[in-house]
Amino acid sequence: MKKITFLLITFLIFGMIKAQNINFTFNHIALSVKSLDKSAAFYKDIMQFQEITNKTKIEGIRWFALGEEKELHLVSILKEPVTINKAVHFALTTSNFDTFIKKLNTSKISYSDWPGIPNKITIRADGIKQIYFQDPDGYWIEVNSVGQK
């Protein structure tokens, strides 16, 4: 009887743990920016993100669609300094990697490979191309060719 009770309790606990499993999906990234207009222009013009409704209705915040129901939120209402290095970056993929490089060159936006060599493209061991550049507030952005078929 003790074995059956133990087994029942074990199955109940396992079932409860399994039922409480939490699954996450990425929703948005928020960046603290100094000039909301300057940063918004960068993400609209250079990155070609579409501005969407800021559902918070708080002044000093603007939202942009990243696709697939993912968003970028630019927040200018906090004034604390942000320390940024290249390891803290977000990465985007494009099926038009070479076209994007041309856009950066035309817009006079410098980019580099991971070590920091200007105008150099990293080619990973699996053949994926990567570049790194910064937005107006110094946030690092990686663009890669994972999306190319």
Side-chain angles (χ1 to χ4, degrees):
M1 185 68 166
K2 288 182 182 181
K3 287 183 182 180
I4 293 174
T5 304
F6 175 76
L7 285 174
L8 279 172
I9 291 172
T10 302
F11 284 123
L12 285 172
I13 290 173
F14 178 75
M16 288 172 56
I17 291 171
K18 189 174 180 183
Q20 294 176 4
N21 197 11
I22 299 172
N23 295 314
F24 292 102
T25 59
F26 181 77
N27 178 260
H28 74 271
I29 184 169
L31 301 177
S32 180
V33 301
K34 295 174 190 155
S35 169
L36 189 58
D37 291 337
K38 186 176 181 180
S39 293
F42 174 85
Y43 285 101
K44 272 186 188 176
D45 300 339
I46 301 302
M47 303 305 295
Q48 299 181 346
F49 294 164
Q50 178 185 359
E51 189 162 4
I52 58 176
T53 303
N54 167 7
K55 295 178 185 170
T56 69
K57 305 291 187 213
I58 298 172
E59 286 291 320
I61 299 174
R62 288 169 75 173
W63 289 14
F64 292 85
L66 298 175
E68 299 175 349
E69 299 182 24
K70 312 300 186 251
E71 300 170 353
L72 168 66
H73 299 175
L74 302 178
V75 181
S76 68
I77 56 178
L78 302 174
K79 302 302 178 194
E80 292 88 13
V82 177
T83 303
I84 303 165
N85 64 54
K86 196 185 278 186
V88 179
H89 68 272
F90 66 93
L92 304 168
T93 190
T94 178
S95 58
N96 298 308
F97 186 85
D98 296 330
T99 302
F100 184 70
I101 295 294
K102 289 176 187 170
K103 181 170 185 61
L104 289 178
N105 288 329
T106 301
S107 302
K108 298 192 183 335
I109 295 177
S110 60
Y111 61 89
S112 67
D113 61 0
W114 177 255
I117 299 170
N119 302 317
K120 184 159 193 247
I121 298 169
T122 297
I123 300 180
R124 297 188 328 206
D126 60 359
I128 297 300
K129 299 175 186 175
Q130 298 170 299
I131 57 155
Y132 298 85
F133 58 99
Q134 292 176 285
D135 79 355
D137 289 281
Y139 290 103
W140 284 98
I141 303 167
E142 171 191 333
V143 171
N144 63 52
S145 65
V146 171
Q148 282 183 313
K149 302 288 183 217

